Amino acid sequence: MMPHTLNIVLAADNAYAPHVETLLKSLCCHNRQMRVYLFHRNSHAPEWFDYINQQLHNFDSEIISAVVSQTQLDHYPNQSHITSAAYYRFLMATLPHDRALYLDSDLLVTGSLQSLYQMQFSGCLLAAVQDSVTARIDWRHPYNLHQQPYFNSGVLLADLTQWRRENIQQKLLDTAQKIAHNVPFGDQCILNYVCQNRWFPLPEHYNYQAGMEWVLTNRGLSRKFSPPKNLPLIIHYTTAQKPWLPNTLPEHLPAPAYRQLYWKYRQLSWADVRAVAQNI
Ligand SMILES: [Mn+2]
């Protein structure tokens, strides 16, 4: 398989900068030739981009600042752990590429993304992993999104040509205007509404949702969960239980998996990352 340049899209406020850097370290341990776009509301210093670029150049990669001017996106409701930046992924078809991989900033990448990135999913708007919790429970969505498979929006491999052809960005913005105030999971519900029956399902390995174990256990459904046999390619720290915050779960609930792994990547210096990358 010939390696492709990976177009990667992130969206984060400045408050998430340490987690973006940790994600980038995990990416650089296992990948090269990345063009990373960071959508933000002009909240990151240009010097921060210079610093990150100095590091990424060692991996034939770069980060590009993509300032969001659409104030409309700031007015949708937020949850404590989902900020306005969650909606910036709607804008990714403005990038001059045929394909891009959107990644949340509360995740880690543990290997090469090439085979995921080159996956064929023709006719679909995107490839994603089904939401791990709603896939395993009875639930009702106010706009009936429970009636078909519902994806997690933390990892989205998008066909941007198709998005532009079908004006998906405008559909997302219009739909958000209409329903964002009445949905449980913000941007994720909007994306599922617009892309229903038009997304290609990926195995859980590509977006392992680490919050699922405690949520299912809390509902008495731990039998519906079994830990992965191998380290997932993408680990996503879902729910408000983030590995950089204290574990606030009661003792009878399992702390989300892979907390230590987040700190393992976070404490790597960039020189350490170069050494790890050379050994692969
Ligand atoms: Mn997330």
Side-chain angles (χ1 to χ4, degrees):
M1 185 170 47
M2 285 288 289
H4 281 214
T5 297
L6 302 169
N7 298 311
I8 294 176
V9 179
L10 312 177
D13 308 318
N14 193 40
Y16 250 62
H19 317 309
V20 171
E21 189 173 358
T22 303
L23 167 59
L24 291 170
K25 285 175 180 171
S26 76
L27 281 163
C28 289
C29 280
H30 312 285
N31 293 275
R32 302 186 78 82
Q33 276 177 262
M34 292 176 284
R35 197 185 283 123
V36 181
Y37 292 89
L38 176 64
F39 281 102
H40 65 112
R41 283 287 273 138
N42 211 10
S43 65
H44 297 263
E47 291 83 356
W48 182 83
F49 282 99
D50 291 343
Y51 153 71
I52 295 291
N53 263 321
Q54 281 168 26
Q55 311 310 326
L56 294 193
H57 285 163
N58 294 309
F59 307 91
D60 306 324
S61 299
E62 63 176 329
I63 190 166
I64 299 163
S65 168
V67 175
V68 174
S69 55
Q70 293 242 20
T71 54
Q72 183 191 359
L73 296 170
D74 291 336
H75 302 304
Y76 301 136
N78 304 321
Q79 286 168 277
S80 59
H81 66 292
I82 303 178
T83 68
S84 310
Y87 295 98
Y88 299 168
R89 73 197 77 187
F90 293 180
L91 309 177
M92 66 181 155
T94 57
L95 301 175
H97 303 295
D98 296 335
R99 175 173 283 214
L101 177 65
Y102 169 83
L103 298 175
D104 264 4
S105 297
D106 55 351
L107 54 76
L108 294 177
V109 171
T110 69
S112 168
L113 293 173
Q114 286 290 339
S115 56
L116 168 62
Y117 196 83
Q118 298 190 40
M119 199 167 281
Q120 293 305 312
F121 53 95
S122 60
C124 291
L125 295 166
L126 55 86
V129 173
Q130 194 173 1
D131 181 77
S132 300
V133 171
T134 59
R136 291 172 170 85
I137 62 172
D138 282 325
W139 72 304
R140 284 199 67 82
H141 189 278
Y143 292 91
N144 291 327
L145 298 180
H146 61 281
Q147 290 176 350
Q148 53 264 302
Y150 174 96
F151 58 86
N152 182 278
S153 64
V155 176
L156 304 169
L157 180 60
D159 180 340
L160 301 184
T161 305
Q162 200 62 31
W163 279 44
R164 288 187 287 268
R165 203 174 282 147
E166 300 187 31
N167 212 358
I168 295 304
Q169 176 175 314
Q170 199 55 46
K171 285 180 183 153
L172 290 167
L173 295 172
D174 292 346
T175 304
Q177 199 74 30
K178 271 187 265 173
I179 73 170
H181 292 269
N182 295 311
V183 295
F185 304 118
D187 68 282
Q188 183 168 282
C189 291
I190 312 298
L191 279 155
N192 271 276
Y193 188 96
V194 170
C195 302
Q196 52 189 300
N197 306 318
R198 297 289 311 283
W199 63 279
F200 181 86
L202 298 171
E204 281 194 329
H205 166 73
Y206 291 118
N207 178 358
Y208 179 74
Q209 298 150 52
M212 112 172 99
E213 186 178 5
W214 79 259
V215 173
L216 292 173
T217 305
N218 195 33
R219 290 168 169 264
L221 294 171
S222 56
R223 69 183 183 281
K224 300 216 171 186
F225 170 85
S226 48
K229 289 188 188 73
N230 301 309
L231 182 66
L233 181 63
I234 301 179
I235 295 165
H236 183 188
Y237 298 100
T238 49
T239 77
Q241 295 294 322
K242 304 301 186 196
W244 55 86
L245 296 173
N247 173 17
T248 58
L249 294 171
E251 263 174 42
H252 69 278
L253 294 180
Y258 305 116
R259 276 183 76 94
Q260 296 303 325
L261 193 65
Y262 168 83
W263 287 100
K264 189 191 131 191
Y265 279 106
R266 182 156 168 180
Q267 59 83 29
L268 292 178
S269 69
W270 280 100
D272 293 335
V273 177
R274 287 199 296 279
V276 172
Q278 261 157 21
N279 290 329
I280 287 171

